[in-house]
Amino acid sequence: MSDLGPELSFLRDRGFGAAVPTLALILGSGFGAIEAACEPQVRIDYVEIPGLPAPSGLPGHVCRLTQGCLWGVNALVFRGRYHGYEGFTARELGLLPRLAQGLGASLLVVTNASGGIRPGLEAGNLLAITDHINLMGLNPLVGLPRISGAARFAPMAGAYDPALVDALVAAAGRAGESMQRGVYAAVLGPSFETAAEVRALAAQGADAVGMSTVPEVIVARALGMSVCGLSLITNRAGSSDDSHDQTLRQGNDNAARLGRVLEQFVKGLGQPFN
Ligand code: HPA
């Protein structure tokens, strides 16, 4: 029995999961506006769901769950996420994908902001995440078997479905955007990287660095969900203008572009990618 039983029952009683969602979408920093594309059937603030921790209330992180019609498919849209740098536990960082899977979603689409490491990844660029490096120092699967149905020693090879990565890049093309592919490294934060850390990340094979997403992907894969991820480069990692304000501003400024790519991606689901 999942230890999320009460939370899921609460949500089902309010109509969540009544229709099987085609996908779950987690909207990261500054991308909240994309939620407006979802015609809501049911909506609830995370804080209203018993058992879920209260979000820390950082500016730019409105936290609520909507289920409804998103570009023609039924979707769960998570606006806002839990971050390790806010002090949430590894278990809490895995809650959103567990709710998504518990409500019937088999595909998780994650979005985030990141700092560019590879030359050519500049503020405003879009990145399809091909793989990750977990440098957060925590793993949401620690503490199993409390997560029922999850593999404790979950394989992470191919975590970001290559066909879905191709689909994201193709969707970007249809939306008139170019999208690079690359490896996302997750650090705990909240401090940004030193110049030496950026060099170390590059040497390890990271193309971009951020402070989220990876725990969600680990849980989703352990639960057997398909995953893909889209990152907006908001700054060059380690540059002197790294700031949370810059991340949010870039997110807000580019949310509409991200939305158009996601729209094409969703409309292309189930169709050949090229
Ligand atoms: N480092 C870590 N996380 C980030 C960055 C960065 O440069 N930009 C946006 N999120």
Side-chain angles (χ1 to χ4, degrees), residues 113-116 187 191-193 209-211 232 234-238 242 247:
S114 62
V187 295
S191 53
F192 286 102
E193 293 69 39
V209 57
M211 304 175 189
L232 171 73
T234 56
N235 56 286
R236 286 291 300 167
D242 287 357
T247 301

Side-chain angles (χ1 to χ4, degrees), residues 152-180:
R152 181 191 286 256
F153 300 103
M156 288 296 133
Y160 300 80
D161 185 328
L164 294 175
V165 173
D166 286 347
L168 268 178
V169 173
R174 291 196 300 278
E177 297 283 350
S178 67
M179 183 181 282
Q180 303 186 53

Side-chain angles (χ1 to χ4, degrees), residues 45-100:
D45 288 350
Y46 298 170
V47 71
E48 303 295 330
I49 306 171
L52 255 67
S56 75
L58 270 181
H61 294 159
V62 174
C63 291
R64 63 185 183 189
L65 168 62
T66 303
Q67 182 165 12
C69 181
L70 180 70
W71 300 306
V73 305
N74 196 284
L76 293 164
V77 178
F78 292 90
R79 177 178 181 165
R81 54 158 55 96
Y82 299 108
H83 296 91
Y85 64 71
E86 296 173 277
F88 292 113
T89 62
R91 175 186 174 277
E92 288 165 337
L93 302 186
L95 285 172
L96 301 184
R98 291 175 61 199
L99 291 177

